[in-house]
Amino acid sequence: MYTVVPFLPTEEEEPLPGVSDFRGRPVCHANSGGWRSAFFVVAVEVASTFASYGVSANLIMYMTGPLGHSNAAAAAAMNVWSGTGSLMPLLGAFVADSWLGRYRSIILGCTLYVLGYGMITLTSMLPSLPGDNVDFSSRPLSLKVALFYTSLYTLAFAHGANSPCGLAFAADQFDPDHPKECTARGSLFNWWYFSIAIGIAVAIATVSYTQENFGWAIGFGVPCAIMICAFTVFLLGTPTYRLGVPIPGAKSPFVRLARSLAIVLATKRHHQELQEVDEDAKTSEEAQGVLRLLPIWAACLAYGVVFAQIMTLFNKQSRTLDRRVFGAGMELPPAALQTFGPVAILVFVPIYDRVLVPALRSATGNPSGLTLLQRVGTGMAVSLAAMCVAALVEARRLETAREHGLVDDASATVPMSWAWMVPQYVMIGVADVFAVVGMQEFFYDQMPDELRSLGLALFSGVMGIGSFISGALIYLIDGVSSSDGGDSWFADNLNRAHLDYFYWLLAGLSAAELALYLYLARSYVYNHKTLR
């Protein structure tokens, strides 16, 4: 008889191809990667999300309060900043995939985060001057306002370096050719957003309350401290990470992509037969795959426009409502209502992953229940419904203000419960589980392997361009609606404004783009990396 000794492998495990540890040494499944490494990355991403929402969720109140901006100016400025931050990942992905690598890009992003949050905390400590309380677009900026915007755009650059690499780097910790790790990577996208939602919910619930009750300096300082701790945790995980090994003499993936795009476009223009070596044929196929993604990407932009309203106009709308809870003992900060979005995500992700997916799998025969594009389209439909609900709620709020003679009292609390706002926040949260997670996985999965940071940056670009579109619409409509001396749709006195008209406009825009999306999605052919 032979005695089997447990836990002692009969032969040494083969090293994983194409990856190494931080010192360039080969690694294997047992001593690197997997959930063990992904948890370190998740920690820093949850913290960066906590810090980002801790600052941005209530930022419009700071801008219309201590900085003295008008509603329209503050909303437009926030949209421009948010849009810039969401577009920076395109630059960050280029730098990461071409030179720095994802690991070093995350380190750069964390460093800039700490600097930016430190600067905005310092800004909030500076005394307000008479020059601060003006519309920033009409006069030279004061030192406080200039430092404030410098800190904001430092955070935008930080987001650009970190955002496209965090999820991609976490996914890199799983071997797609290993059955168990491949399955785990599929779940990563759902549970990644679940973890991010925890950071959002906690940030909105706690930091906004701190800002409202203990001051802006403490409210901005907390995210800075959290980010420093998370950066330290990420660095502690360094010995476990799987890092991509650069191929000697290999061209930058962006250079190869640009060259192949030129070949593809030239071939289509001249209707010539392409005869190239195998490498050129492969890169040309990749280029065509990227080109096929762009129409889908453009058809998702309306979702980004809707998403931009959560921290701006929804927040100002909440300020006017009766926000008392437990009788008259406690009043919710306006930004605290945003918590219902991530709470909806926390509740719905397990339901989707454990209940809906198995049920849909039985009905459709698809291992994921829905295809990635079907998942995104479902989210877009829910966001369209959310804007219709938001328009109806705002119309009800304006009617209540008129019934109680509060139209001319900008500071009055409309006798209407904050609970009326809950459905639109919850619907946006549910839409995110479908659309945001679907877009992240779709653009990651359908990009060439070496450009997956760019794929996640494309998702971020949906939010960025959406914010710019929102800002442009607000600026244009504000000028047109007030040009004849009447009240703007975004008047500082929201009881004389018409946010409901704006929400109906966004609902119409969402409906038109959803129709375009469905038309494009029907003809999309997935590449070989996925069966979904």
Side-chain angles (χ1 to χ4, degrees):
M1 294 182 63
Y2 293 93
T3 301
V4 177
V5 180
F7 307 116
L8 292 179
T10 57
E11 60 182 26
E12 187 176 351
E13 186 179 359
E14 289 291 329
L16 291 170
V19 294
S20 69
D21 69 2
F22 72 107
R23 291 179 177 173
R25 299 173 299 190
V27 297
C28 58
H29 290 111
N31 63 8
S32 70
W35 283 111
R36 153 186 49 194
S37 299
F39 282 138
F40 287 105
V41 187
V42 168
V44 76
E45 293 304 309
V46 169
S48 66
T49 302
F50 174 95
S52 176
Y53 276 80
V55 168
S56 61
N58 208 28
L59 193 60
I60 195 167
M61 298 302 177
Y62 182 76
M63 296 170 74
T64 56
L67 293 189
H69 296 352
S70 67
N71 284 342
M78 275 200 67
N79 285 155
V80 171
W81 168 62
S82 177
T84 301
S86 296
L87 286 179
M88 280 293 108
L90 293 171
L91 174 61
F94 174 79
V95 173
D97 287 342
S98 297
W99 296 296
L100 277 184
R102 290 163 191 159
Y103 172 72
R104 288 192 292 270
S105 290
I106 294 173
I107 291 178
L108 173 61
C110 289
T111 303
L112 291 175
Y113 271 137
V114 172
L115 177 61
Y117 290 125
M119 289 173 61
I120 199 169
T121 303
L122 175 63
T123 300
S124 65
M125 296 178 181
L126 296 176
S128 297
L129 300 174
D132 294 334
N133 298 319
V134 296
D135 187 339
F136 71 98
S137 63
S138 60
R139 298 185 186 180
L141 301 183
S142 69
L143 174 62
K144 180 173 182 174
V145 175
L147 186 59
F148 169 77
Y149 279 100
T150 300
S151 64
L152 284 190
Y153 283 90
T154 299
L155 295 176
F157 277 102
H159 184 71
N162 179 75
S163 177
C165 299
L167 180 53
F169 187 62
D172 290 344
Q173 305 309 307
F174 299 91
D175 181 4
D177 296 323
H178 188 276
K180 288 185 177 180
E181 290 196 8
C182 182
T183 301
R185 194 182 76 171
S187 294
L188 172 68
F189 287 88
N190 283 335
W191 294 105
W192 175 274
Y193 203 63
F194 179 87
S195 302
I196 294 301
I198 293 176
I200 296 172
V202 174
I204 293 172
T206 60
V207 179
S208 62
Y209 181 83
T210 301
Q211 292 166 346
E212 295 276 346
N213 294 276
F214 298 99
W216 292 100
I218 296 177
F220 289 148
V222 169
C224 182
I226 294 292
M227 197 63 232
I228 292 173
C229 295
F231 189 12
T232 303
V233 169
F234 176 78
L235 293 176
L236 290 175
T238 296
T240 75
Y241 296 145
R242 295 175 186 170
L243 307 180
V245 177
I247 301 174
K251 296 178 181 178
S252 162
F254 282 91
V255 172
R256 290 194 298 107
L257 179 62
R259 180 176 179 273
S260 56
L261 283 173
I263 293 173
V264 170
L265 294 175
T267 302
K268 289 183 177 181
R269 184 169 58 247
H270 297 296
H271 304 285
Q272 297 172 346
E273 185 73 23
L274 182 62
Q275 297 178 347
E276 297 287 340
V277 297
D278 290 342
E279 182 181 354
D280 286 340
K282 179 184 176 182
T283 54
S284 296
E285 181 181 348
E286 291 175 348
Q288 293 181 43
V290 173
L291 288 175
R292 288 189 297 111
L293 289 176
L294 296 182
I296 299 291
W297 176 84
C300 294
L301 293 178
Y303 189 88
V305 179
V306 171
F307 191 85
Q309 312 315 313
I310 297 174
M311 290 181 292
T312 54
L313 299 180
F314 281 16
N315 207 11
K316 293 297 294 184
Q317 192 179 357
S318 302
R319 169 69 78 176
T320 68
L321 299 178
D322 183 355
R323 290 172 280 108
R324 291 176 296 173
V325 292
F326 307 119
M330 178 182 177
E331 185 176 72
L332 292 173
L337 298 185
Q338 296 176 38
T339 309
F340 286 100
V343 167
I345 294 170
L346 294 176
V347 172
F348 192 66
V349 164
I351 294 174
Y352 180 83
D353 197 65
R354 301 302 179 186
V355 180
L356 285 182
V357 169
L360 290 169
R361 183 185 298 135
S362 300
T364 65
N366 189 300
S368 300
L370 297 174
T371 67
L372 295 178
L373 288 177
Q374 287 172 342
R375 182 173 183 172
V376 174
T378 302
M380 293 172 68
V382 175
S383 73
L384 163 60
M387 290 315 299
C388 294
V389 170
L392 292 172
V393 169
E394 175 61 8
R396 169 76 179 188
R397 191 192 69 82
L398 291 173
E399 182 181 354
T400 303
R402 287 192 294 269
E403 288 176 352
H404 291 81
L406 301 175
V407 172
D408 295 319
D409 189 352
S411 60
T413 297
V414 176
M416 179 174 168
S417 172
W418 56 269
W420 283 85
M421 296 284 294
V422 173
Q424 63 201 62
Y425 281 116
V426 170
M427 293 176 74
I428 291 292
V430 172
D432 282 353
V433 174
F434 286 104
V436 171
V437 178
M439 279 189 276
Q440 287 177 335
E441 188 171 1
F442 175 75
F443 288 119
Y444 176 87
D445 187 77
Q446 296 296 294
M447 288 294 285
D449 293 344
E450 295 163 310
L451 295 172
R452 283 177 162 175
S453 294
L454 177 62
L456 291 174
L458 283 177
F459 154 73
S460 186
V462 168
M463 301 306 184
I465 297 295
S467 292
F468 279 123
I469 294 173
S470 175
L473 285 173
I474 290 173
Y475 180 81
L476 177 63
I477 294 171
D478 181 56
V480 172
S481 60
S482 61
S483 60
D484 59 355
D487 292 313
S488 165
W489 287 12
F490 312 99
D492 290 343
N493 179 359
L494 286 186
N495 295 333
R496 300 193 68 89
H498 273 293
L499 296 185
D500 54 336
Y501 293 175
F502 184 61
Y503 293 158
W504 282 122
L505 176 64
L506 295 188
L509 179 65
S510 298
E513 199 145 34
L514 177 59
L516 174 63
Y517 173 86
L518 293 175
Y519 173 78
L520 295 171
R522 286 180 60 187
S523 60
Y524 184 84
V525 178
Y526 292 91
N527 66 29
H528 66 281
K529 288 183 293 185
T530 182
L531 297 176
R532 291 173 285 185

